[in-house]
Amino acid sequence: RVTNKQFTWPYSFSLPVDKNGPWYTLNTVGVGATLNIDLWGADRARVAAAIGEKNARQAETAGIELDLASSVAQLYFAMQATFQKIELLNQLEAIASLSVQAHEHRTARGVEDSVDVANAQDELLAAQQQVITAQGTITQYRETLRALIGADAHSMPEIHPVALPALQETLPDSLSFELLALLGYVSASMSQVDAAKAAFYPHFDIKAFWGYNALSVGDLFKSSFQQINILPGLYLPLFDGGRLNATLKSTRTASNILIKQYNQAVLDAVRDVAISSSQLNDLNQQAALQQQKVTAAMVTTRSASAHHQRGLVSYYAAQEARRPAIAQQLLLLDIQAQRLSTDITLIKALGGDYRGPALSENAPLR
């Protein structure tokens, strides 16, 4: 509808006219564009904040993957240590069974009384109980690992006993993924503060339109009906002071909270690394001392075996001499399992990058 109060008033007297002016159909087609003049860097700050949040989420995802990988590694190597423990316990069970047979023969010949047989049976039952407990632990580890990797009863891979890997000689130099995530959020929050500050300044933009404008569709694409508009704009935040101040205050508060969380995360990471490093160093020393005990016990075992081969002692005595060595090996295995678990914890605290010893080309994957 064309009003008769503007510069288009001649059109109000063409075609049927009423006191409100006639109606026309205006056909318009064209291309419009807007250019925001980012003088104060508000848009750049928003882009930087978005990129920082994206990087932080990627780091969080990597951190979750690291937690999952470390948990899987802990369970897997705990299973391997338990496999070795069962093997040593089976040896103790075999020795205890031989001891029961030996005492039963002596009791039958009247050399010993039934008390010695009962004591030997008690040792055998204790060894069998330890084996059953260790086998139950294997089952618990396997089911926990199955749930952790999301495998069902049919897709769960079979886990075979393998040797425990050697510890890394050097520590990785990568940052913790948690720290990277927090750093990304801190960077994003500081960019958001810059954007909130820039909102106080005037905003400039330019809108433009180029196209065709005609009352008749047949005339729409004629050159004489071309239209070009250029509209510069100036926006002043005259009445938004309260809102802008509140936004800036809340943005600064959120940024300060993230900075404090990041500082605390750095302190926690340093503490975790220090504790894990100290524990690993203590376990290394304990392992070295325990290895010496195992070596000393093996000397006794080999001596008893040599005496048996020469007919100086009985087979039963040679097998009984193995008990101290197996007991020391069990203690060494516990320390080695603790060392490996602590090493994984330390690697996790440093951001991952755990690598075991390289497999040979022909080595099977288990």
Side-chain angles (χ1 to χ4, degrees), residues 236-315:
L236 300 175
L238 298 179
F239 306 103
D240 291 341
R243 179 180 63 83
L244 294 177
N245 280 317
T247 301
L248 179 59
K249 182 178 179 180
S250 63
T251 305
R252 279 177 172 170
T253 301
S255 179
N256 291 334
I257 292 175
L258 287 173
I259 292 174
K260 291 181 179 179
Q261 291 177 349
Y262 176 77
N263 292 335
Q264 185 61 46
V266 172
L267 295 177
D268 293 342
V270 173
R271 179 202 61 197
D272 293 342
V273 170
I275 292 176
S276 298
S277 300
S278 176
Q279 291 176 346
L280 188 58
N281 183 56
D282 293 340
L283 289 172
N284 288 336
Q285 296 179 9
Q286 294 179 25
L289 295 175
Q290 186 62 33
Q291 184 61 54
Q292 295 179 10
K293 291 184 178 180
V294 171
T295 302
M298 292 300 296
V299 171
T300 303
T301 300
R302 287 192 293 268
S303 176
S305 178
H307 281 72
H308 167 65
Q309 293 177 358
R310 296 171 184 174
L312 300 178
V313 296
S314 64
Y315 176 73

Side-chain angles (χ1 to χ4, degrees), residues 29-246:
V29 61
V31 178
T34 301
L35 173 63
N36 292 318
I37 304 176
D38 191 21
L39 294 179
W40 321 113
D43 292 336
R44 292 191 297 272
R46 294 188 185 97
V47 171
I51 293 175
E53 290 182 355
K54 178 183 178 182
N55 294 335
R57 291 190 180 96
Q58 290 178 345
E60 285 181 339
T61 301
I64 294 173
E65 293 175 353
L66 174 62
D67 290 340
L68 181 61
S70 61
S71 298
V72 170
Q74 294 277 12
L75 286 171
Y76 177 79
F77 291 125
M79 289 182 65
Q80 295 300 334
T82 308
F83 280 137
Q84 296 185 18
K85 183 177 181 180
I86 291 176
E87 182 180 353
L88 293 174
L89 290 175
N90 285 333
Q91 296 179 24
L92 285 179
E93 182 183 0
I95 296 174
S97 178
L98 178 64
S99 177
V100 170
Q101 296 176 7
H103 286 291
E104 286 177 346
H105 287 304
R106 292 180 180 179
T107 302
R109 293 195 302 268
V111 179
E112 295 179 349
D113 56 21
S114 59
V115 175
D116 295 325
V117 176
N119 291 333
Q121 290 177 343
D122 182 67
E123 292 179 354
L124 176 60
L125 293 174
Q128 292 174 344
Q129 185 179 20
Q130 288 179 322
V131 172
I132 294 174
T133 301
Q135 291 174 342
T137 302
I138 287 290
T139 302
Q140 294 176 5
Y141 285 153
R142 181 181 289 107
E143 291 303 312
T144 304
L145 184 59
R146 182 181 64 82
L148 196 60
I149 65 178
D152 55 26
H154 302 286
S155 61
M156 178 68 180
E158 186 68 23
I159 298 177
H160 303 280
V162 296
L164 295 178
L167 302 184
Q168 294 191 128
E169 297 180 358
T170 60
L171 299 178
D173 54 0
S174 58
L175 289 175
S176 171
F177 283 122
E178 181 182 359
L179 297 182
L180 291 176
L182 288 175
L183 184 59
Y185 283 124
V186 169
S187 177
S189 69
M190 296 178 70
S191 297
Q192 290 172 353
V193 171
D194 293 337
K197 290 180 180 179
F200 285 90
Y201 302 115
H203 174 66
F204 301 92
D205 68 1
I206 299 176
K207 293 181 175 65
F209 173 83
W210 176 87
Y212 296 90
N213 196 339
L215 297 177
S216 174
V217 177
D219 298 332
L220 184 59
F221 293 101
K222 293 181 179 180
S223 60
S224 58
F225 288 90
Q226 286 186 4
Q227 178 177 333
I228 298 176
N229 296 327
I230 298 178
L231 303 174
L234 171 63
Y235 302 88
L236 300 175
L238 298 179
F239 306 103
D240 291 341
R243 179 180 63 83
L244 294 177
N245 280 317

